[in-house]
Amino acid sequence: TISTPTRMNTPSQEQRTAKYTMVVFTISAVLSLLGLFLDMNGSYDASFTTLYIGIAVGFTPLGAFIVHRVPGNRIGKLMTAIGLCGALSLLSMSWGDWLPAAWVSQWCWWIPLALIPITLLIFPDGYLPTYRWRPFAIVMISATALSTFALAVAACYAPYTLLTNYANAIPEVATTALRIAAGGILVVIVGTIF
């Protein structure tokens, strides 16, 4: 008789999922704790810290778990992105005295907040409810991308104080970029409400 070879010492899907989830969760938690404990400029308030630690530690492991359990589902990828962007935002704010981190902190805060309604739009199976929702999804995604890009451009002109100090004059290009960002943020907020 011919026997089929058995696999020895190969991890099951559940074991790989648990390992991947713990690795991603650890990365997110370490970034969040670094942001919390290495606050170089003392710019935190309790609400900001609580919000972004909750986003990082809540969304990242759940997203990683969904990615491995349901590989084609877009929700897991979006949830992982939300969590990691939350951790990056927290970390960049804490290292705000360093120019690249200060620049990132002026626009990265918006990404996780904007991706949450997009994730809810495709919940629970990773697809829109019907094709009629496609224009709405395109508007939400475009407004998120446009406002993030506009915030990043405006932050080039005032990387330390763009959103915190309005007394300093910024160039007209940065002011225009902030108006575009505000419009995109408004579209996402109104789209979330309705």
Side-chain angles (χ1 to χ4, degrees), residues 36 44-58 90:
L36 180 63
Y44 278 126
D45 62 350
S47 61
F48 177 82
T49 304
T50 305
L51 174 66
Y52 283 97
I53 285 178
I55 287 173
V57 175
L90 188 63

Side-chain angles (χ1 to χ4, degrees), residues 55-149:
I55 287 173
V57 175
F59 278 89
T60 306
L62 187 58
F65 181 76
I66 293 171
V67 163
H68 269 279
R69 295 297 287 191
V70 188
N73 195 324
R74 296 179 186 116
I75 291 177
K77 294 174 186 173
L78 280 171
M79 290 181 79
T80 304
I82 291 168
L84 291 177
C85 286
L88 178 65
S89 179
L90 188 63
L91 184 65
S92 65
M93 282 297 288
S94 68
W95 287 79
D97 290 338
W98 185 46
L99 180 61
W103 176 74
V104 170
S105 71
Q106 297 297 317
W107 58 268
C108 189
W109 62 271
W110 168 243
I111 298 171
L113 299 178
L115 289 179
I116 291 172
I118 294 170
T119 304
L120 292 174
L121 186 61
I122 62 171
F123 187 80
D125 60 355
Y127 295 98
L128 294 171
T130 64
Y131 286 112
R132 294 182 199 178
W133 285 90
R134 186 173 285 173
F136 180 71
I138 290 170
V139 167
M140 291 285 285
I141 292 167
S142 300
T144 297
L146 180 66
S147 57
T148 302
F149 180 74

Side-chain angles (χ1 to χ4, degrees), residues 21-32:
T21 302
M22 288 310 296
V23 166
V24 173
F25 175 75
T26 303
I27 291 170
S28 176
V30 166
L31 288 177
S32 298

Side-chain angles (χ1 to χ4, degrees), residues 7-51:
R7 290 197 248 176
M8 302 295 281
N9 298 328
T10 57
S12 67
Q13 177 68 27
E14 289 81 19
Q15 290 170 333
R16 286 191 305 268
T17 300
K19 186 184 293 185
Y20 178 76
T21 302
M22 288 310 296
V23 166
V24 173
F25 175 75
T26 303
I27 291 170
S28 176
V30 166
L31 288 177
S32 298
L33 289 174
L34 276 173
L36 180 63
F37 292 120
L38 299 177
D39 184 13
M40 296 176 71
N41 59 2
S43 63
Y44 278 126
D45 62 350
S47 61
F48 177 82
T49 304
T50 305
L51 174 66

